[in-house]
Amino acid sequence: MKKSLLILFFCQSILAQIPSAKIDSMVTHAMKKFNVAGTAIAIVKDGKIIHNKGYGVKSITTKEPVNEHTNFAIASNTKAFTCAALAILAEEGKISWTDKVKDHIPEFKMYDDYVTENFNIQDLLTHRSGLGLGAGDLMFFPNGSDFTLKDLLNSFQHFKPQSAFRTKFDYDNLLYIVAGEVIARVSGMSWEQYVQTRIINPLGMNDSYTSIGMMKDKNNLATPHNDVKGVLKPLPHWDEMINGAAGGIYANTDDLCKWMLVQLNKGKYGESLSSKLFTEDSQREMWKLHTVEDSYGGRYNTHFSGYGLGWFLTDVKGNMMVTHTGGLPGMLSITTLIPDLNLGIVILTNTDPGGGLLFSAINNTILDSYLKMDDFGWIDKYHKEFAEIQNEGDKVTDNVWKTVKAASKQKINFSPYIGIYEDKWFGKAEVFMKGKQLWFKCLRSPKLNGPMYFYKANSFAIKWEYQDMNADAFAVFSLDEEGKAQGIKLKGISPNIDFSFDFQDLDFVRIEK
């Protein structure tokens, strides 16, 4: 009887595991379907690496293949490393999770005195600040701006809250940079140095780095790409920000298996799990629901969802799921842990937007196999849904530029719009004539500049010179009684614009003629 049960258990385990050959076939199909240059995928199960492989190319220019040691920007998957670093400091008694931020960074100031006085370290990590989605990301999207830590710390007081403090989830990046500064001031090391020496090096993640600048050998570094109407275009690597706490790590699937294993082993690693990165108590704190989101039944019979410390948390078919995605121009990734199944999946890609569709479809298909669910056809499902979203967005933008073309025959007096305008946190922008063309230029973010085309009434469409991401915007002028522009509001043209282009948070006021 016991022997029969063991055989049955073994067979069920085999059935639950998706074969590597099937993964290979599925990934090849998905890469063609979603037009992805390269990807790497790894699975850990029951303490072992059972799949770890690269697919496609690092760059469409060099055609060099991706392997398990190819580095990708993991973007917001970095956030869990930042939280682990804070957990280590908390265990050492150098901080408490509920320390007030201003006690470590006296110049930190939010939009309200009460919020400033009560904002603690966990509030930096849990997306419940009251600020809107992606507030302030324009300081770093697109890259190449000159904003400093002082600018960032000064900016929060100028945003209008979108919800009451600690009541609503709205994803935030800038507050993670503040968390990185907390680590620097408490440890006496930069965020990059601390995470490299206290997490990455001890785990033996020998080919991973907390910044691209620390990577001496870039021969096995994937190139980011974007897909412009079916044609892949290589992109430059992302410039480093004030610190990398929100999304600065470059890593590969081989090293990230070690990261997933230490998570699944409750902070333990090394031979016989004799070493400890952080305690089980710290892991419980990081995997505790701090900010609640809406949950629903759906395919996975979900009962809860929300955010912990550096991780999204939910349940799938009665199993807790710990996950996070990451995204920078041309680099998209996902990490998924199912502690109840001792399962981890990581997928890294170097193409936008197809990489996000690929990692969603492949991740869900692998997950479904371990949950013993039917084949849901995720690849075709995501392809169809994205095509519909993309087509709707293209219709909106195409209609805008058709309107612009039709309006180009009108004679417009540009002089009332020309001048210098200023936003309290983003700085100055200039509207001026460049030859015979009206032009918009952000002084602190040089890539946000481009020609302005009359649209309707007192609004213009800006075609940014920066086209690595879809971010073209309307400029809507407010006029005085004489018809002279006094202010500018910006708004993304495409409904599919990335949330990090938070144009809605800008309020430019004329300061010079």
Side-chain angles (χ1 to χ4, degrees):
M1 181 64 180
K2 288 182 179 179
K3 185 177 180 181
S4 299
L5 286 173
L6 285 172
I7 292 171
L8 177 61
F9 176 77
F10 177 76
C11 291
Q12 286 175 337
S13 298
I14 294 297
L15 289 171
Q17 179 180 323
I18 185 167
S20 285
K22 185 174 180 180
I23 294 175
D24 294 345
S25 174
M26 180 171 55
V27 172
T28 301
H29 175 56
M31 289 179 68
K32 291 179 181 178
K33 197 89 169 179
F34 300 128
N35 198 22
V36 173
T39 184
I41 298 172
I43 304 171
V44 296
K45 181 75 170 74
D46 298 328
K48 296 180 181 179
I49 300 171
I50 63 170
H51 186 90
N52 187 18
K53 194 172 180 179
Y55 304 85
V57 296
K58 292 183 285 187
S59 166
I60 59 168
T61 303
T62 67
K63 307 293 185 183
E64 293 177 346
V66 173
N67 60 37
E68 69 273 22
H69 298 289
T70 300
N71 278 336
F72 295 75
I74 68 169
S76 285
N77 274 294
T78 299
K79 289 179 169 68
F81 287 81
T82 297
C83 293
L86 288 164
I88 294 169
L89 289 170
E91 289 173 11
E92 293 174 344
K94 294 179 180 178
I95 64 165
S96 165
W97 286 116
T98 54
D99 281 355
K100 303 298 188 288
V101 175
K102 69 182 184 62
D103 290 341
H104 296 287
I105 306 177
E107 63 270 40
F108 177 76
K109 187 175 182 180
M110 291 296 286
Y111 51 82
D112 175 90
D113 288 343
Y114 173 84
V115 176
T116 300
E117 289 299 315
N118 290 277
F119 211 92
N120 65 37
I121 288 175
Q122 288 192 339
D123 293 322
L124 295 173
L125 312 172
T126 47
H127 310 294
R128 62 187 187 191
S129 66
L131 298 176
L133 175 65
D137 277 3
L138 273 173
M139 286 185 173
F140 306 106
F141 284 81
N143 57 348
S145 66
D146 66 356
F147 291 98
T148 65
L149 176 66
K150 182 179 179 181
D151 295 320
L152 187 150
L153 293 173
N154 182 64
S155 69
F156 300 112
Q157 63 185 301
H158 299 302
F159 294 111
K160 294 180 180 178
Q162 301 301 305
S163 60
F165 181 39
R166 294 178 182 160
T167 63
K168 183 176 178 292
F169 178 92
D170 271 307
Y171 195 82
D172 184 278
N173 285 306
L174 297 196
L175 290 170
Y176 264 82
I177 297 176
V178 179
E181 180 63 13
V182 170
I183 292 170
R185 296 196 186 188
V186 170
S187 70
M189 305 167 65
S190 68
W191 174 88
E192 286 78 7
Q193 291 172 319
Y194 190 84
V195 172
Q196 193 80 38
T197 58
R198 297 301 303 273
I199 299 177
I200 288 178
N201 292 347
L203 292 181
M205 299 175 65
N206 297 326
D207 295 317
S208 296
Y209 303 91
T210 48
S211 75
I212 194 170
M214 296 178 71
M215 195 184 305
K216 294 179 181 178
D217 184 355
K218 297 183 176 65
N219 287 326
N220 205 0
L221 173 63
T223 297
H225 301 77
N226 68 357
D227 181 346
V228 182
K229 296 185 177 179
V231 179
L232 294 185
K233 171 190 171 186
L235 302 177
H237 288 285
W238 191 256
D239 290 346
E240 296 178 14
M241 299 196 297
I242 292 165
N243 65 51
I249 290 177
Y250 283 76
N252 54 74
T253 54
D254 196 63
D255 282 350
L256 289 170
C257 284
K258 299 168 186 175
W259 173 243
M260 291 193 293
L261 288 171
V262 78
Q263 294 287 334
L264 292 169
N265 289 324
K266 302 176 182 178
K268 296 177 182 178
Y269 68 98
E271 187 152 352
S272 302
L273 301 180
S274 56
S275 299
K276 181 180 70 175
L277 187 68
F278 49 75
T279 66
E280 190 172 345
D281 284 346
S282 288
Q283 186 180 67
R284 276 197 293 267
E285 191 66 26
M286 290 185 279
W287 287 4
K288 182 172 75 176
L289 209 60
H290 289 271
T291 306
V292 177
E293 295 184 88
D294 291 337
S295 60
Y296 56 92
R299 173 170 170 79
Y300 295 109
N301 194 27
T302 298
H303 297 87
F304 72 87
S305 63
Y307 203 83
L309 303 179
W311 294 101
F312 287 96
L313 308 169
T314 189
D315 65 310
V316 290
K317 288 294 182 181
N319 300 281
M320 181 177 177
M321 182 167 76
V322 182
T323 188
H324 214 290
T325 58
L328 286 172
M331 291 282 191
L332 303 168
S333 61
I334 188 169
T335 306
T336 300
L337 306 170
I338 310 292
D340 298 334
L341 301 179
N342 206 2
L343 170 70
I345 307 164
V346 63
I347 303 174
L348 310 177
T349 72
N350 67 346
T351 307
D352 187 11
L357 300 165
L358 180 145
F359 78 53
S360 297
I362 301 300
N363 182 79
N364 288 2
T365 303
I366 294 170
L367 175 61
D368 287 357
S369 74
Y370 282 97
L371 295 174
K372 303 175 185 177
M373 299 177 70
D374 62 297
D375 185 348
F376 199 56
W378 283 110
I379 293 174
D380 291 338
K381 182 178 178 65
Y382 276 114
H383 186 268
K384 180 182 178 182
E385 289 181 354
F386 179 75
E388 291 172 354
I389 292 170
Q390 191 73 18
N391 288 337
E392 287 301 312
D394 287 348
K395 285 180 184 178
V396 171
T397 54
D398 288 347
N399 286 335
V400 168
W401 294 110
K402 284 178 183 177
T403 301
V404 164
K405 185 177 181 180
S408 63
K409 299 176 183 179
Q410 300 183 41
K411 292 184 177 181
I412 307 297
N413 179 14
F414 295 130
S415 60
Y417 306 103
I418 293 171
I420 296 179
Y421 302 77
E422 187 172 29
D423 175 81
K424 289 181 180 179
W425 64 270
F426 194 64
K428 295 177 182 178
E430 184 177 5
V431 178
F432 61 101
M433 295 301 297
K434 190 173 183 179
K436 296 182 179 180
Q437 178 67 54
L438 192 66
W439 205 268
F440 189 97
K441 178 174 69 175
C442 294
L443 273 61
R444 301 203 64 179
S445 185
K447 291 183 180 179
L448 285 182
N449 77 97
M452 305 179 72
Y453 301 97
F454 179 72
Y455 178 62
K456 295 178 182 177
N458 56 329
S459 62
F460 292 76
I462 307 173
K463 173 69 72 175
W464 303 118
E465 288 191 331
Y466 173 82
Q467 290 293 312
D468 289 354
M469 297 179 77
N470 176 10
D472 293 339
F474 289 116
V476 182
F477 289 87
S478 56
L479 311 177
D480 65 11
E481 67 278 5
E482 300 296 329
K484 184 175 182 178
Q486 299 301 306
I488 309 172
K489 289 280 193 178
L490 298 185
K491 177 185 177 183
I493 291 175
S494 172
N496 298 328
I497 191 170
D498 190 279
F499 71 80
S500 285
F501 291 94
D502 60 316
F503 294 123
Q504 70 278 358
D505 291 319
L506 297 174
D507 186 11
F508 286 107
V509 176
R510 179 188 285 274
I511 59 170
E512 295 181 26
K513 294 182 179 180

